[in-house]
Amino acid sequence: MNLLKPLLEPVIQPALDKATSVIPLHWQIRGAHAFQSLKQRAGKARPIPVFSEVPLPDVSTLALQDIDVSNPFLYRQGLWHSYFKRLRDECPVHFQKSSPFGPFWSVTRYEDIMFVDTHHDLFSAEPIITIGPQPEGLELETFIAMDPPKHDAQRQAVQGVVAPKNLAQMENLIRSRTADVLDRLPVNEPFDWVQNVSIDLTSRMLATLFDFPFEQRHKLAYWSDVAASPPEATGGSSNTAEAFDVAADIASNMSSLWRDKEARIAAGEEPGFDLISLLLANATTRTMINRPMEFMGNMALLIVGGNDTTRNSMTGGLWALNQFPDEFAKLKQNPGLIPNMVSEIIRWQTPLAYMRRVAKEDVTLNGQTINKGDKVVMWYASGNRDERAFEQDPDQFIIDRKNVRKHLSFGFGVHRCMGNRLAEMQLRILWEELLKRFDDIEVLDEPEYVQSNFVRGYTRMSVKLTAIT
Amino acid sequence: MGRITFIEHSGTEHVVDIEVGQSLMQAAVENGIPGIDADCGGACACGTCHVIVDKDWVQATGGINADEQGMLGLTPEITDTSRLSCQVTLSESLDGLIVRLPEFQM
């Protein structure tokens, strides 16, 4: 995909290739946005759904075919649980024929999700893994949404940055940054946990992974939020203009970071273990910056992948412990349970609700025939609460739950989360450092939730700390 | 009855009895060998039961299919004789098998 193609259609291909390599990427994105706006005005663009919140009905009042779990307010309104339980029990592979995102299948039981996730020969991750499409004109190419073998080559180029060997070297740095954030928190007075802990810690981590200017790290969190929330993709609350602005911003910041790193390495500087250095060191990805959609796609994927997920698990874990105070007491008595609790937090929160696939051929799944070309959504959030798969009541938060590592939140198969070990380490360190400092961490009100069918997240959670005396 | 040896990255050895028909991963988990996570429970879908087969035993442990190869490709610790232990079925002919554990599971 070439951003300038629609603008320069009459121009021959070699000239086009030259143009994309000399015109700065953020200008190309501005150009694509201008073109998209023209299309919109001419009535030629794909319509964008508009979502406004109304109270959703009790699922028991709905006919099966009317259940639409793509509604972006289901999580916020606390109804996702009853909706998915009904599907798991009565129609585990469910077809919704007329959602705002078009028709799609929902796969809601653990075993069926595992089947879809491990059969990339039957179910393609292309062109994107959200229920709806990416904003028109901004279709980024990212390996989370590529099938093997292209997926494998691109992923292998970057996975080293979050390899356990690298992480072991980063543990002390992560711990000192976590300590720094926690030591600045107010004690005995309310503050917002999301902003002051979850967002701050994950932005610091991302800035480190990218070797991004530390004082500008707030940009990474903002970009991630916008990139994950186009209404047509996830039912989120960003808009097209914002999406293009952010894409242009990512393009100019990340390409200058890339060029700068490239020049420093060329001048003899030792390459670091940050993501861009690794991409520059790999034959497959060294010239990625000349392929704008692929470059942007990888940057956006790594920014979003390392952000929303860990951030909302940092908030969700505390929210869970407040709803299950006996577990909090158990944790304080036995901090050795932290590693197992981290997996339980990731299961309980399931920060990304699903991944979407497209059937590559007709497939029969749990009695239903999915036709070639149909969209298939694997609802990890539902599979993680499947009573058939978890012996101990899956709706309970149990920090010493047996076999909790089988949770679906990281996905299974070739697309399994690349940053899983980093996420686990960040959460483990957070809880180790919290227990050293605070006797109680009280959530004062129910948190506020993100509008999305994809990100299961929090925008605000008021908390009060009591120090250890 | 045959026996197999797991060698941890630290060098610690564990010898366990072969239970014919079990996978190498199940033998590790049931005998409490540290360093085998087996998150997916044996579905060749997570890559966390990675072992490195002693070079003398590569042939005896059988071929690798495309799914296993695909998952192993995601492990930064991959070596020439890497296997996912959930994909190796134990038989008497593996008496004496030696496998080493990587420093980290993916």
Side-chain angles (χ1 to χ4, degrees), chain A residues 411-435:
Chain A
F412 281 110
V414 294
H415 290 289
R416 186 166 168 81
C417 176
M418 187 177 93
N420 57 348
R421 298 295 181 179
L422 172 61
E424 288 171 353
M425 183 163 101
Q426 285 178 274
L427 289 165
R428 170 173 60 79
I429 292 173
L430 172 63
W431 281 99
E432 286 168 356
E433 296 301 315
L434 280 168
L435 290 186

Side-chain angles (χ1 to χ4, degrees), chain A residues 114 118 120 151-152 155-156 159 163-165 168 405-406 411-416 420-421, chain B residues 37 39-41 43-48 67 70-71 73-77 103-106:
Chain A
M114 188 65 130
T118 52
H120 56 80
H151 158 271
D152 303 359
R155 172 170 169 150
Q156 279 159 14
Q159 66 190 10
K165 198 166 274 179
R405 295 192 61 85
K406 72 187 279 195
F412 281 110
V414 294
H415 290 289
R416 186 166 168 81
N420 57 348
R421 298 295 181 179
Chain B
D37 293 337
D39 292 353
C40 75
C44 192
C46 69
T48 65
D67 284 343
M71 290 312 297
L74 308 179
T75 308
E77 312 263 307
E103 189 172 4
F104 302 101
Q105 292 290 352
M106 168 168 77

Side-chain angles (χ1 to χ4, degrees), chain A residues 231-364:
Chain A
E232 60 268 59
T234 62
S237 54
S238 71
N239 61 53
T240 305
E242 209 178 5
F244 274 99
D245 278 349
V246 159
D249 222 16
I250 295 178
S252 70
N253 279 265
M254 293 320 238
S255 53
S256 61
L257 200 60
W258 179 287
R259 294 295 186 204
D260 177 55
K261 186 82 53 181
E262 196 173 36
R264 276 156 49 194
I265 293 170
E269 197 178 293
E270 196 65 35
F273 65 93
D274 60 280
L275 274 164
I276 291 180
S277 295
L278 285 174
L279 288 168
L280 281 165
N282 183 291
T284 320
T285 50
R286 185 176 299 144
T287 54
M288 185 186 274
I289 197 156
N290 298 328
R291 299 185 293 277
M293 282 314 196
E294 192 180 313
F295 174 71
M296 287 294 295
N298 274 290
M299 294 298 123
L301 172 61
L302 297 165
I303 293 171
V304 176
N307 186 43
D308 269 326
T309 50
T310 316
R311 177 206 296 181
N312 291 318
S313 299
M314 286 176 170
T315 308
L318 178 56
W319 177 224
L321 282 170
N322 266 259
Q323 290 174 75
F324 296 88
D326 292 351
E327 297 298 303
F328 210 156
K330 199 195 279 178
L331 172 68
K332 284 200 285 189
Q333 264 167 22
N334 185 3
L337 293 173
I338 289 175
N340 202 75
M341 177 182 77
V342 163
S343 293
E344 175 69 347
I345 288 172
I346 296 168
R347 180 196 71 87
W348 191 84
Q349 181 61 34
T350 318
L352 296 181
Y354 64 86
M355 288 285 152
R356 185 256 274 194
R357 301 288 185 257
V358 175
K360 293 168 84 168
E361 54 188 80
D362 294 357
V363 183
T364 303

Side-chain angles (χ1 to χ4, degrees), chain A residues 14-158:
Chain A
L16 194 57
D17 288 346
K18 178 139 176 59
T20 52
S21 63
V22 295
I23 297 177
L25 188 47
H26 58 284
W27 288 11
Q28 295 184 45
I29 291 170
R30 300 253 179 252
H33 186 200
F35 177 73
Q36 194 56 35
S37 303
L38 278 175
K39 241 171 109 179
Q40 197 94 43
R41 279 200 288 275
K44 297 240 163 81
R46 188 183 58 213
I48 298 169
V50 177
F51 296 96
S52 48
E53 183 163 9
V54 292
L56 297 170
D58 187 312
V59 70
S60 65
T61 65
L62 294 173
L64 272 176
Q65 73 263 21
D66 295 331
I67 295 176
D68 180 4
V69 284
S70 74
N71 189 295
F73 305 108
L74 205 58
Y75 178 63
R76 178 186 283 175
Q77 294 186 15
L79 292 169
W80 65 278
H81 177 262
S82 57
Y83 273 59
F84 282 113
K85 178 156 176 50
R86 175 131 186 249
L87 291 189
R88 282 198 305 276
D89 289 346
E90 294 179 32
C91 188
V93 178
H94 171 262
F95 191 62
Q96 163 54 248
K97 67 176 192 301
S98 57
S99 86
F101 307 91
F104 69 94
W105 291 93
S106 285
V107 183
T108 59
R109 284 191 190 167
Y110 184 97
E111 289 299 332
D112 294 337
I113 292 169
M114 188 65 130
F115 179 85
V116 175
D117 225 358
T118 52
H119 283 85
H120 56 80
D121 50 331
L122 298 177
F123 300 97
S124 171
E126 299 177 5
I128 198 63
I129 47 71
T130 47
I131 297 188
Q134 302 186 81
E136 203 176 3
L138 204 53
E139 290 96 349
L140 307 182
E141 293 174 18
T142 110
F143 64 81
I144 196 174
M146 285 176 196
D147 295 331
K150 197 175 178 198
H151 158 271
D152 303 359
Q154 293 223 351
R155 172 170 169 150
Q156 279 159 14
V158 290

